[in-house]
Amino acid sequence: MQEAKKLSMPLTNEEKTTVYPILFVIGFVHLLNDALQSVVPAMFPILQGSMGLTFTQIGLIGFALNFTSSLMQPLVGMYTDKRPSPYALPIGLCFSFIGIVGIALANSYWLIIVSVLLIGIGSATFHPEGSRVAYMAAGNKRGLAQSIYQVGGNSGQALAPLIAAIILIPFGQRGALSFTVVAGLAIILLLYIAKWYSNEIKNVRTVSIKKKSHSNNTETNKKHKKIIVFSICLLIFLVFARSWFHAGITSFYAFYIINEYGLTITEAQIYIFIFLATGAVGTFFGGPLADRYGKRNIILLSMLGSAPLALLLPFVGPFTAYILIGIIGFIILSSFSVTVVYAQELVPGKIGTVSGLIVGLAFGMGAVGSVALGWLADLIGLTNTIIFAACLPFIGLLTFFLPSDEKVKEIHH
């Protein structure tokens, strides 16, 4: 068990240089993985037309994807913290490969569900271990490393509208087969990553023997356990609030501006693409800024900096909304990678678990929040729901209750 604990902390980052080739490869594979995942929601209109699915059936497909891809991540992370599994990365993407083939050829609703579950399992396997690889390759630039990794995922998600417009709408359900090339490329690159990962595990066995005191400081762990548990729970809640706002924009803002500005569906999708694209840019810059100015400060700024702009968004004209939604996307997602690094430093021995909690559970709960927003829209109207969603970033005030970066370092030294 002690050996497993040591392996869950693969590197002493301060003693290693940043391995940029590994970071860029894992970031690119993150883009490929999330692009594969984006095929599912992009196919909803296609499946509805070809199979006559109800909105409830479509909702269940989305739930199946989110349940496996997001909510299972902490479980995968807990397992791999005890038993680091380099080759789980390419094996997981093999599940996604099979799922893509299944969804392209499915002739029944339940085959679609099974295919989506396989894609979700592949994604749930990839994310905690991918985040661990970014941690291992980070050196002393954890914020930058996590940004490179996470911006790949955000970019992959932003491709969903383009995937629908360029491939799925012209070629229909069978068009998803073209993404087997994407899955195949991801598997090949992950075999390269897995080989490097395996070598790092061998190296850390030597390092861990020299640094036994790092994992045996039980008195310090007991003393600060309450602070760590409280901070992780608060961080999950903050990420949930951010994800709930994110889901509100991506799921319902298009309907709002269609009604308010008289736009077409295609024109409304441009706003969503701008939000996602600038969010990806914000994700990249957030990490280096956190390395310089502090992680808690960037988390606070991303929530409270976007809050007044978000509240203004429902009341501006269509041209101003272009600019505003781009700025909001950049600011609020600047903390996307930072929250992961902050959690990893709070619990340095559980890299996979905390990554699964922050990226998987907390972000995945945003999908559950979108269901609540849909219910709220039916109850109080779309305009009031958008205004409610715009108030969610103000929850960032709770960031003041998180320990400072200096306090986190003090806890573990």
Side-chain angles (χ1 to χ4, degrees):
M1 182 61 72
Q2 289 297 323
E3 182 67 17
K5 271 191 173 184
K6 290 164 188 170
L7 288 177
S8 71
M9 296 180 288
L11 297 175
T12 306
N13 285 26
E14 291 78 2
E15 296 179 359
K16 298 206 68 171
T17 56
T18 305
V19 189
Y20 285 105
I22 294 297
L23 287 176
F24 290 131
V25 171
I26 198 67
F28 180 62
V29 175
H30 197 182
L31 184 152
L32 298 178
N33 177 84
D34 283 28
L36 290 174
Q37 208 174 322
S38 295
V39 169
V40 178
M43 283 194 70
F44 285 168
I46 308 295
L47 294 173
Q48 187 181 39
S50 63
M51 306 184 98
L53 302 182
T54 66
F55 285 114
T56 300
Q57 288 176 312
I58 288 173
L60 286 172
I61 294 171
F63 175 79
L65 179 67
N66 277 294
F67 179 80
T68 49
S69 68
S70 297
L71 302 183
M72 282 182 61
Q73 282 189 43
L75 300 178
V76 174
M78 289 170 67
Y79 176 84
T80 55
D81 279 336
K82 294 178 181 178
R83 300 175 183 82
S85 310
Y87 287 93
L89 287 163
I91 290 170
L93 261 291
C94 288
F95 281 95
S96 297
F97 183 97
I98 297 168
I100 287 293
V101 173
I103 203 169
L105 302 179
N107 56 7
S108 74
Y109 176 70
W110 291 109
L111 187 52
I112 291 172
I113 291 289
V114 171
S115 301
V116 166
L117 287 172
L118 289 172
I119 294 170
I121 289 169
S123 186
T125 305
F126 170 78
H127 280 100
E129 285 296 85
S131 191
R132 191 193 308 277
V133 169
Y135 180 92
M136 292 167 71
N140 60 359
K141 296 181 179 179
R142 292 179 185 172
L144 174 63
Q146 199 62 223
S147 285
I148 292 172
Y149 170 66
Q150 296 293 355
V151 77
N154 286 2
S155 300
Q157 292 169 19
L159 290 174
L162 300 180
I163 290 170
I166 298 172
I167 298 174
L168 298 179
I169 291 175
F171 297 101
Q173 188 176 341
R174 295 293 176 94
L177 280 173
S178 61
F179 286 90
T180 56
V181 177
V182 174
L185 177 59
I187 292 167
I188 292 168
L189 291 174
L190 286 175
L191 287 170
Y192 165 72
I193 290 286
K195 184 177 180 181
W196 176 85
Y197 185 173
S198 297
N199 290 334
E200 289 301 299
I201 289 176
K202 292 174 185 176
N203 293 338
V204 81
R205 284 196 173 97
T206 305
V207 174
S208 63
I209 292 171
K210 297 177 183 177
K211 301 211 173 212
K212 287 182 181 178
S213 60
H214 185 81
S215 60
N216 292 332
N217 195 358
T218 54
E219 286 186 19
T220 302
N221 289 341
K222 287 179 181 178
K223 180 181 177 182
H224 297 293
K225 185 177 180 180
K226 287 184 179 179
I227 297 175
I228 293 171
V229 171
F230 169 79
S231 300
I232 286 292
C233 291
L234 178 55
L235 195 63
I236 289 172
F237 181 68
L238 288 167
V239 174
F240 170 58
R242 186 189 66 198
S243 302
W244 199 2
F245 171 76
H246 184 277
I249 294 294
T250 55
S251 300
F252 298 103
Y253 184 68
F255 293 107
Y256 174 77
I257 56 179
I258 287 170
N259 291 339
E260 289 292 315
Y261 306 150
L263 302 179
T264 64
I265 296 173
T266 303
E267 289 169 338
Q269 286 298 315
I270 295 172
Y271 289 84
I272 308 305
F273 175 74
I274 290 172
F275 176 75
L276 294 171
T278 56
V281 176
T283 297
F284 176 77
F285 283 102
L289 288 171
D291 285 337
R292 182 166 184 175
Y293 298 109
K295 296 165 190 66
R296 191 184 74 162
N297 292 338
I298 296 300
I299 295 169
L300 180 66
L301 179 64
S302 80
M303 296 287 280
L304 294 187
S306 59
L309 301 177
L311 202 54
L312 188 62
L313 184 63
F315 304 103
V316 299
F319 178 77
T320 307
Y322 276 124
I323 301 168
L324 210 55
I325 202 167
I327 297 171
I328 292 167
F330 179 91
I331 295 175
I332 200 159
L333 286 183
S334 63
S335 65
F336 192 96
S337 60
V338 179
T339 49
V340 178
V341 178
Y342 184 87
Q344 288 175 344
E345 293 187 355
L346 271 171
V347 193
K350 302 289 183 182
I351 303 302
T353 303
V354 296
S355 299
L357 285 171
I358 300 301
V359 180
L361 180 61
F363 194 77
M365 283 169 66
V368 178
S370 68
V371 175
L373 287 174
W375 171 81
L376 200 62
D378 289 332
L379 186 67
I380 63 174
L382 190 57
T383 300
N384 290 330
T385 301
I386 292 296
I387 294 171
F388 169 80
C391 293
L392 290 170
F394 283 102
I395 292 174
L397 285 166
L398 296 176
T399 306
F400 284 111
F401 292 100
L402 289 173
S404 66
D405 293 45
E406 292 73 20
K407 179 66 176 177
V408 173
K409 289 178 183 177
E410 180 187 314
I411 287 171
H412 297 292
H413 286 83

